[in-house]
Amino acid sequence: MLCVPRTIKTVLAKMILIATPANPLLIAPLLVFCTGCQPHSQISFSDHVYPILESNCFYCHSPPNGEGYRNIGLSLVDYKSLMAGTMYGPVIVPGDSKKSILNMLIEGRADKSMQMPHNEEYSLTEYEIRTLQIWVEQGARNN
């Protein structure tokens, strides 16, 4: 189902209200567009985020020998380590994926030499990137 912007939904809802019994065909297609777009369900760190980090990031961001851990001190092996960030500061801004360094790096919004993961073998899918964005937007909870 397509996700229709709120303004279009409002216009379509008004059209439904003005539909009359003499115009029943107007209602059915509009109902399809006005339903189906639900808010994102709660993203769980343990069920959704951790498996992404484990399969794509642990290789470099695990103590004591991971290159990313050795270079900047970022361990991604558990929630506490992730939220502690690097020797330079946090990488997650709960509630704001646009300001979160982790999101910037995995989305390619930083210098290409810094895009994560470096190894294409571990590149994230659009679904995984979006999952991490939503998790941060939802407050980056340890759930």
Side-chain angles (χ1 to χ4, degrees), residues 24-98:
L25 295 178
L26 182 62
I27 296 172
L30 296 177
L31 289 175
V32 171
F33 285 107
C34 290
T35 60
C37 290
Q38 303 300 321
H40 297 287
S41 60
Q42 186 66 40
I43 301 294
S44 161
F45 178 79
S46 60
D47 294 340
H48 304 107
V49 175
Y50 184 83
I52 294 169
L53 299 176
E54 183 179 36
S55 62
N56 297 288
C57 309
F58 278 18
Y59 179 78
C60 291
H61 292 283
S62 294
N65 297 320
E67 184 179 354
Y69 178 75
R70 287 191 327 262
N71 291 343
I72 61 170
L74 180 60
S75 172
L76 299 176
V77 298
D78 58 31
Y79 179 82
K80 184 178 177 181
S81 300
L82 168 61
M83 297 309 285
T86 73
M87 63 179 71
Y88 304 106
V91 295
I92 300 289
V93 178
D96 194 344
S97 65
K98 296 295 182 205

Side-chain angles (χ1 to χ4, degrees), residues 20 29 45 47 57 60 76 96 100-102 113 119 131 136:
T20 64
F45 178 79
D47 294 340
C57 309
C60 291
L76 299 176
D96 194 344
S100 292
I101 294 171
L102 179 78
S113 68
N119 186 336
T131 298
V136 170

Side-chain angles (χ1 to χ4, degrees), residues 99-119:
K99 291 183 181 174
S100 292
I101 294 171
L102 179 78
N103 295 99
M104 288 180 194
L105 295 175
I106 65 170
E107 294 167 21
R109 292 189 284 127
D111 184 276
K112 288 293 182 192
S113 68
M114 296 174 61
Q115 184 167 353
M116 295 291 146
H118 289 305
N119 186 336

